[in-house]
Amino acid sequence: MKRLTEIMYERTALSFEVFPPKTDKGMAKLPDTLDHLYKFNPDYISCTYGAGGSNVGKNMDVCKLILNAENETVPVTHFTCIGHTRETVKEQLQNYLDNGIDHMLALRGDLPYGWTGTNGDFAYATDLVAYVRKEFGDKFEIAVAGSPEGHIECRSLEADIAHLKQDEGADYIMTQLTFDMEQFKYWLDAIRMAGITMPVDVGVMPVVGKDAVINMCLSRNGCAIPRELAEVISHHWFDKDPDGNDLPEVKAAFREEGIEYTVDQLHEYMSLGVEGIHLYALNKWEDVTEILNRAGIRTVV
């Protein structure tokens, strides 16, 4: 099987992100979602990972589902620094290898409420990547996160790019979501000028719900909401009546305009020559299916 970076140098890779369901009912429904995503022949599907491996069992279950499917989709596990010692990292990653999972996204991870650091042996993803390479050599293909608007805890975009340049041993960059295309273009030029040559796989969140977009932008990511997206939100701001009841027609209108916004964003990313498109499926298949079909990217008829 080819490495993902080899695929990215040949053509634009397509991938999805899912998360381990918290309930048995959710786990029972996930295979159907994955089956629909497989129809697009994704190059990989990534699965998120809880702080300190709090959901490592279900993460492993999801990765194995993907690995054992009758296609060539690669499972990629997220892996954070939160709460990890060198010993737990070595033990857990060996377990992934023993189960046939050899692709990972190395992350610092979001700090849990009240934490001021990772409470482990690794403060940054850079440290984690270096340790994984030292212990496992090239057994893992490793992605690292990129922040086109700068990490929210970094003092400047330039400082953030300098940290990204230190991620020696990583194979490609998977970006955090960004809706500001001008900022993305600036960042892409800036990392290339800085000598960072790793392929760039762009994380894209479908615009299908007003509250979800606002929460994702402002809760942890500090992402800008550009004028064009602000207009989409403003057009459908009042999605509840005075008694607090949902107005389905307004929510549907937001989804329609939001999907068109996302399709335009995908086309713009493709025109920039990015090496990958990574869609946050959010354990649903309907929205990303409609987006990809409209965009004409690996269309499923």
Side-chain angles (χ1 to χ4, degrees):
M1 185 178 293
K2 287 186 177 180
R3 289 167 62 87
L4 293 176
T5 47
E6 290 181 55
I7 292 171
M8 291 177 189
Y9 284 126
E10 292 177 356
R11 55 175 166 77
T12 305
L14 174 66
S15 57
F16 301 105
E17 178 180 296
V18 297
F19 59 86
K22 293 182 179 180
T23 65
D24 291 340
K25 182 178 179 181
M27 282 296 292
K29 293 170 64 175
L30 187 60
D32 180 65
T33 295
L34 292 173
D35 284 342
H36 280 89
L37 298 180
Y38 294 147
K39 293 177 182 178
F40 288 98
N41 296 314
D43 297 292
Y44 73 88
I45 295 177
S46 74
C47 183
T48 62
Y49 180 96
S54 58
N55 61 359
V56 65
K58 287 189 175 180
N59 171 282
M60 177 70 78
D61 290 342
V62 175
C63 287
K64 288 167 70 175
L65 270 177
I66 298 165
L67 181 67
N68 295 325
E70 294 181 0
N71 56 59
E72 295 186 354
T73 302
V74 174
V76 176
T77 181
H78 293 209
F79 200 92
T80 76
C81 297
I82 305 298
H84 272 311
T85 65
R86 289 173 175 81
E87 291 73 22
T88 59
V89 169
K90 186 175 181 179
E91 178 184 349
Q92 289 192 25
L93 289 184
Q94 184 60 56
N95 189 33
Y96 278 101
L97 285 177
D98 292 343
N99 281 277
I101 294 135
D102 56 4
H103 291 71
M104 63 181 288
L105 168 61
L107 301 162
R108 196 253 349 230
D110 295 326
L111 299 181
Y113 176 76
W115 289 32
T116 57
T118 63
N119 287 358
D121 289 339
F122 307 96
Y124 302 103
T126 300
D127 306 323
L128 178 60
V129 171
Y131 178 76
V132 174
R133 285 295 182 229
K134 176 176 176 289
E135 291 295 328
F136 295 97
D138 62 357
K139 292 180 180 178
F140 281 97
E141 188 167 22
I142 303 175
V144 288
S147 301
E149 297 176 61
H151 193 282
I152 194 169
E153 295 180 20
C154 206
R155 66 176 62 222
S156 68
L157 181 64
E158 291 72 24
D160 193 54
I161 291 173
H163 287 303
L164 183 61
K165 193 172 182 180
Q166 294 175 22
D167 283 326
E168 298 179 4
D171 295 292
Y172 63 101
I173 299 167
M174 194 184 299
T175 73
Q176 300 281 9
L177 67 94
T178 181
F179 292 111
D180 189 335
M181 293 305 301
E182 292 306 310
Q183 177 60 31
F184 180 84
K185 293 173 189 176
Y186 178 86
W187 173 83
L188 187 60
D189 287 342
I191 66 168
R192 296 310 186 209
M193 288 289 290
I196 299 171
T197 60
M198 289 182 286
V200 172
D201 194 4
V202 182
V204 179
M205 178 184 170
V207 177
V208 293
K210 182 192 73 176
D211 294 340
V213 170
I214 294 172
N215 181 62
M216 288 293 286
C217 285
L218 303 182
S219 63
R220 292 183 182 268
N221 298 290
C223 293
I225 297 178
R227 174 65 188 233
E228 187 178 358
L229 180 55
E231 289 178 356
V232 175
I233 294 171
S234 296
H235 293 164
H236 313 288
W237 183 260
F238 295 105
D239 56 6
K240 295 180 183 294
D241 66 20
D243 295 323
N245 300 307
D246 285 340
L247 297 174
E249 67 278 11
V250 178
K251 291 181 180 291
F254 179 96
R255 180 179 182 276
E256 173 61 27
E257 194 171 351
I259 284 179
E260 284 300 309
Y261 180 93
T262 307
V263 169
D264 289 343
Q265 193 175 30
L266 290 185
H267 287 159
E268 194 160 4
Y269 279 131
M270 297 284 283
S271 73
L272 293 173
V274 298
E275 286 79 15
I277 297 292
H278 185 60
L279 278 162
Y280 304 148
L282 303 176
N283 288 26
K284 300 176 182 178
W285 59 269
E286 294 92 342
D287 295 331
V288 293
T289 292
E290 188 165 351
I291 288 165
L292 290 173
N293 282 339
R294 289 199 200 184
I297 300 174
R298 300 198 192 180
T299 301
V300 173
V301 178

